[in-house]
Amino acid sequence: MNKPLRRVAVCFLALVLAVMGRATWIQFFRADTYASDPHNPRVALARYSQPLGNILVDGAPVTGSAKTGRNLAYKRTYTDGPLYAPITGFSSQIYGSTQLEGVYSKVLDGSDPRLAKPADTLMKKRPKAGDVSTTVDARVQKAGYAALKGKSGAAVALDPDTGKVLSVVSTPSYDPGAFAGSAPADQAAWEKLEKDKNKPNVNRAMRQSLAPGSPFKLVVAAAALTDAPGTYPDIDTRTDADSPYPLPGTSISLPNEDPNAPCKDATLRVALQYSCNNVFGKVANTVGQDKIQQMAEKFGFNTDKLDIPVRAGKSVYPTGMDRASEAMSGIGQYDDLATPLQMAMVTSAIANDGTLMKPMTVDKLTDGSGNSIQDFPPTEYSKPVTPAVARSLQSAMQTVVKSGTGTGAQIPGLTVGAKTGTAQNGVNNSGTPYAWFVSYAKNSQGHKVAVASIVQQADAARAEVSGSSLAGPVATAMMKAALQ
């Protein structure tokens, strides 16, 4: 063989070896990656080749499957889609999956290896899809959704004893079934949803963090009673708080919403009862941001890894503040941010005598025959405060309902505690304030529920925005549904 021919032969041999190496790499080391790639059409063909499993509420499916007559043989359907969308998310042949549909996609499409039976493996058959059982209480979900109808807002209800999520409401909502398929109508529905200025596809209950306003005063009060017992030995000790409170290092004073409220030197109980800004600005400066940060983080702030199992948005207590900002942060303003889920967690821990249970939306996964393949027992998240401090805060919150800013939340036959609030929105409060209401209720059998609700009603007159009048009825309806 002459030299040029030998060089060509070597070159071709190298190319053959490269192709063989590449094929080996793909088949043996990258097979799983390509098999699960959402852009691989075989993934979608397999996923929608049979009816999907269901997401259950109170043991009944709120999802389903329908034949399409296309290559993707089945598509997802939803019962009361807008009602449960903040929980289920969507499963779309084009746009993928979110929320529980996404987290448990392998269970719902039958590809989870725990679903396979020996016969399935032998016949190389895709197992029957499994189901996802949620902790949601349909009565509470419907009550919250009805109360928020026509408003922009959200609400979350928790069982303080277990951490079970009883309700996740976000309005305005959307119908996930409108774009579950791959027809032109589905694409048009998706584009309309994406362009909607009201953003119905945003999960306001779990993924939108806003200024918490006065409900954050519960966290500050918890820090004061826990970390400054010498200055604040109990909920009924008078504080040394001028009204209005001069913000340190500035010529500005922090006023109260009601100038006639008895806020000067008020006790923590009275300060919560009348939502006295001066007291909590003073308390925040006295306790200090480091202690308040530690308390806030025990309640769930400053983590971006809260999975219930869908990952929640981050709630923030800021650091590195000057004294004036520290005081403003003490009333839930400055750079404080919280989701309704986070504020429900604060109330839940207080209602549960200081123990915060980790929120959970799913209690069981089952196979196609209803047999459990995984159970999710309640787990403790933290112990932010002692039982004594928690009961003091419970007592103060009950005072808010009996004779303070939350009297509208009184429910015959139930013990109710609450904290109302409004939070400034926009630069120099240029936007309509947010109305907040956090509460808990207990019946005579000892069953409890904790609720946080927010209304972001952009078309409301500023003078009409209050936590008690706008967000309070939402929480009250959900507490009644849970316990009556």
Side-chain angles (χ1 to χ4, degrees), residues 48 66-70 72 74-78 90-96 174-195:
Y48 295 104
K67 289 185 176 181
T68 64
R70 298 168 175 259
L72 301 175
Y74 290 88
K75 71 172 184 177
R76 176 59 101 193
T77 61
Y78 295 88
F90 61 78
S91 181
S92 169
Q93 294 178 345
I94 302 176
Y95 305 108
Y174 66 96
D175 182 5
F179 50 88
S182 55
D186 295 89
Q187 298 177 48
W190 173 266
E191 291 172 4
K192 181 180 179 181
L193 178 65
E194 288 286 284
K195 294 176 182 178

Side-chain angles (χ1 to χ4, degrees), residues 444-465:
S444 58
Q445 290 78 43
H447 299 139
K448 299 185 286 284
V449 63
V451 180
S453 59
I454 183 174
V455 174
Q456 308 162 242
Q457 192 170 349
D459 59 349
R462 182 180 297 271
E464 297 175 355
V465 176

Side-chain angles (χ1 to χ4, degrees), residues 18-364:
V19 170
M20 292 176 63
R22 178 63 176 170
T24 301
W25 171 256
I26 290 174
Q27 290 181 14
F28 288 95
F29 298 101
R30 300 284 293 172
D32 290 342
T33 301
Y34 286 111
S36 60
D37 190 323
H39 297 97
N40 183 347
R42 292 186 179 183
V43 175
L45 287 170
R47 175 173 174 78
Y48 295 104
S49 64
Q50 63 179 9
L52 295 171
N54 287 311
I55 296 173
L56 311 178
V57 172
D58 289 341
V62 295
T63 57
S65 295
K67 289 185 176 181
T68 64
R70 298 168 175 259
N71 289 336
L72 301 175
Y74 290 88
K75 71 172 184 177
R76 176 59 101 193
T77 61
Y78 295 88
T79 302
D80 292 325
L83 173 65
Y84 293 110
I87 299 159
T88 63
F90 61 78
S91 181
S92 169
Q93 294 178 345
I94 302 176
Y95 305 108
S97 305
T98 62
Q99 301 284 109
L100 293 184
E101 291 275 31
V103 173
Y104 295 116
S105 61
K106 291 186 176 182
V107 172
L108 292 167
D109 68 15
S111 63
D112 190 304
R114 293 173 295 179
L115 298 171
K117 294 178 171 56
D120 297 326
T121 304
L122 185 64
M123 301 294 293
K124 294 184 178 181
K125 177 184 175 184
R126 195 179 187 91
K128 186 178 179 181
D131 295 332
V132 177
S133 175
T134 72
T135 60
V136 175
D137 186 321
R139 297 167 302 175
V140 183
Q141 183 73 9
K142 291 175 181 178
Y145 188 73
L148 274 169
K149 188 174 182 180
K151 304 179 180 69
S152 175
V156 174
L158 301 176
D159 178 344
D161 291 329
T162 63
K164 290 183 178 181
V165 176
L166 304 178
S167 175
V168 179
V169 180
S170 178
T171 58
S173 189
Y174 66 96
D175 182 5
F179 50 88
S182 55
D186 295 89
Q187 298 177 48
W190 173 266
E191 291 172 4
K192 181 180 179 181
L193 178 65
E194 288 286 284
K195 294 176 182 178
D196 192 327
K197 64 179 182 179
N198 293 316
K199 300 186 182 302
N201 53 343
V202 172
N203 190 329
R204 291 171 168 81
M206 289 178 52
R207 300 291 304 170
Q208 188 174 61
S209 301
L210 301 171
S214 290
F216 188 76
K217 293 171 181 175
L218 292 169
V219 177
V220 178
L225 294 169
T226 301
D227 296 305
T231 306
Y232 306 105
D234 59 59
I235 204 80
D236 293 309
T237 298
R238 294 186 65 82
T239 61
D240 180 19
D242 291 334
S243 181
Y245 175 64
L247 293 175
T250 75
S251 58
I252 303 172
S253 292
L254 181 59
N256 293 303
E257 189 73 22
D258 181 0
N260 298 316
C263 289
K264 179 176 173 55
D265 299 329
T267 66
L268 291 176
R269 181 191 299 276
V270 172
L272 289 170
Q273 180 182 6
Y274 292 96
S275 204
C276 300
N277 292 334
N278 65 308
V279 170
F280 286 97
K282 167 71 174 180
V283 170
N285 283 153
T286 302
V287 176
Q289 57 191 281
D290 291 343
K291 294 296 185 182
I292 296 175
Q293 178 189 347
Q294 292 172 17
M295 181 60 67
E297 290 177 354
K298 290 177 184 177
F299 279 115
F301 283 80
N302 293 344
T303 179
D304 55 5
K305 295 181 180 180
L306 178 61
D307 301 327
I308 70 167
V310 175
R311 179 152 293 181
K314 186 176 182 178
S315 297
V316 177
Y317 177 76
T319 58
M321 296 176 281
D322 59 28
R323 297 267 290 163
S325 299
E326 183 181 71
M328 291 300 297
S329 180
I331 66 168
Q333 293 291 167
Y334 183 56
D335 287 341
D336 291 3
L337 295 172
T339 62
L341 171 63
Q342 174 61 76
M343 296 314 298
M345 290 169 65
V346 171
T347 313
S348 179
I350 292 171
N352 196 34
D353 291 344
T355 298
L356 174 60
M357 302 300 290
K358 183 181 178 182
M360 52 184 287
T361 314
V362 174
D363 56 11
K364 183 168 58 176

Side-chain angles (χ1 to χ4, degrees), residues 381-404:
Y381 184 88
S382 66
K383 289 185 180 293
V385 295
T386 65
V389 169
R391 288 169 191 148
S392 292
L393 293 172
Q394 291 172 23
S395 176
M397 292 175 72
Q398 290 170 27
T399 301
V400 172
V401 174
K402 290 176 182 176
S403 57

